[in-house]
Amino acid sequence: MIDHVNELADGTPRTGPPPEGAAVAVWSLDTRRESVAGRPVAGAGAVLDADEQERAARLLRPADRHRYLASHLGLRVLLGSYLGLAPREVALVRETCPCCGGPHGRPAVAGAPVHFSLSHSGDVAYLAFAGVPVGIDVEETPSAEALADVLPLLHPAEIAELNALPEADRPTGLARVWCRKEACLKAEGTGLALGLTDPYVGSAPAPAPVPGWTLRDLPAPAHYAAALAVRA
């Protein structure tokens, strides 16, 4: 179990060499920051590639755009530190989609042995790095409206478990389920293409076993849940 999450702040991150095998390094970032590792978020466009810049430009709300720029700047800073590259020199690509064979699978670094995953929700971003496929997700506790929308899409056993909880506890339970499931789907590279029914991850304080993956909950700020999936 990972019981420590590194914080990416203003100082130069001390990453050491890239993790090997199923060893995982996890970092968190407050995406409201005006600078990340000493680099201004306002100048992130000089570091990001054309695809990232285009995605940022499509975000209409300034706060959403700032969160995106901060999290992707943080990703490039950390990958650059692990690989001995300047952040702007990190070449990001997409793997083949396991569902349709298209070029929109898991994000990866061209030719690099390190696997990574990025997630952001609210004002928090989580980043994971490993030597094997890895997925990470952080989720803000959902509203009652979001609970009503998502609940019918889950595994039948998860629906029953959440409905058995006191009403006030269901949003927290859903946050656990959602981030566990998203971590697995990101690690597999399928995303939400196949829906939210599988895999079954459970809503209990400890996640259910998922064949082929090691699934773990992570420490998270108040009103958030976070989970990590790494290939077993």
Side-chain angles (χ1 to χ4, degrees), residues 95-124:
E95 295 180 347
T96 300
C97 173
C99 298
C100 69
H104 46 256
R106 293 189 314 129
V109 182
V114 63
H115 295 257
F116 69 88
S117 183
L118 163 66
S119 174
H120 53 87
S121 178
D123 296 322
V124 176

Side-chain angles (χ1 to χ4, degrees), residues 148-219:
D149 288 342
V150 173
L151 187 60
L153 307 178
L154 302 178
H155 190 282
E158 292 162 348
I159 296 173
E161 292 166 9
L162 291 170
N163 281 329
L165 293 174
E167 187 173 353
D169 294 339
R170 290 174 194 168
T172 300
L174 176 61
R176 283 199 298 265
V177 171
W178 182 272
C179 68
R180 293 168 183 172
K181 203 169 291 265
E182 277 268 36
C184 292
L185 297 176
K186 286 181 178 181
E188 292 173 344
T190 60
L192 300 179
L194 301 179
L196 286 171
T197 302
D198 295 315
Y200 169 72
V201 296
S203 64
V210 176
W213 300 93
T214 299
L215 179 60
R216 309 165 180 170
D217 288 344
L218 296 173

Side-chain angles (χ1 to χ4, degrees), residues 12 17 40 52 59 61 64 110 137 145 148 153-154 170 178 187 225-226:
T12 301
E52 290 168 307
L59 297 171
R61 295 179 63 236
D64 292 339
D137 196 61
E145 292 77 14
L153 307 178
L154 302 178
R170 290 174 194 168
W178 182 272

Side-chain angles (χ1 to χ4, degrees), residues 68-138:
Y68 179 93
L69 292 172
S71 59
H72 282 255
L73 176 59
L75 173 65
R76 285 183 165 273
V77 165
L78 289 168
L79 282 172
S81 181
Y82 281 122
L83 299 173
L85 298 171
R88 67 178 177 275
E89 295 174 345
V90 176
L92 298 179
V93 296
R94 285 280 184 171
E95 295 180 347
T96 300
C97 173
C99 298
C100 69
H104 46 256
R106 293 189 314 129
V109 182
V114 63
H115 295 257
F116 69 88
S117 183
L118 163 66
S119 174
H120 53 87
S121 178
D123 296 322
V124 176
Y126 270 45
L127 307 99
F129 304 86
V132 295
V134 62
I136 198 165
D137 196 61
V138 59

